[in-house]
């Protein structure tokens, strides 16, 4: 499990490091559109890492029997589209 998590966190972290390094080195020379795309990529990668961390915390709650379930009817079409 730890190997998988480490691998899954490494991919977005690599993206964050590469994009921030390029922004800091000013390799774009004033290209605002490219800078905005890099910042968006950084945000997406950080959100992905955050989701993995939340999933891990949920897993520890499940294993310890402390997870709270939200049991209520849901629209199957909405669940499937998500």
């Amino acid at each position: 499990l730890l190997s998988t998590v480490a691998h899954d966190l490494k991919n977005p972290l690599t993206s964050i490091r590469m994009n921030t390094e390029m922004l800091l080195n000013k390799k774009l020379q004033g290209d605002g559109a490219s800078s905005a795309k890099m910042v968006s990529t950084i945000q997406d990668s950080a959100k992905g890492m955050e989701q993995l961390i939340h999933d891990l915390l949920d897993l520890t709650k499940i294993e310890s029997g402390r997870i709270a379930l939200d049991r209520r009817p849901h629209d199957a079409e909405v669940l499937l589209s998500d």
Side-chain angles (χ1 to χ4, degrees):
L1 176 66
L2 291 177
S3 175
T4 301
V5 171
H7 181 268
D8 287 348
L9 286 172
K10 187 177 178 182
N11 290 335
L13 184 58
T14 300
S15 174
I16 289 170
R17 291 185 67 206
M18 284 177 24
N19 283 286
T20 54
E21 192 172 314
M22 285 191 288
L23 287 169
L24 289 172
N25 288 333
K26 298 181 182 181
K27 291 185 178 182
L28 299 176
Q29 302 291 325
D31 185 354
S34 293
S35 294
K37 182 163 175 53
M38 284 187 206
V39 170
S40 177
T41 299
I42 291 167
Q43 288 176 327
D44 291 344
S45 296
K47 287 177 188 175
M49 291 176 73
E50 184 178 33
Q51 184 60 51
L52 282 170
I53 291 167
H54 283 291
D55 291 347
L56 283 173
L57 293 173
D58 284 346
L59 181 60
T60 60
K61 288 178 186 176
I62 291 169
E63 288 178 343
S64 67
R66 297 182 298 126
I67 192 148
L69 300 177
D70 181 12
R71 296 180 187 211
R72 59 187 161 111
H74 292 280
D75 183 359
E77 184 177 344
V78 172
L79 292 172
L80 291 173
S81 69
D82 285 348

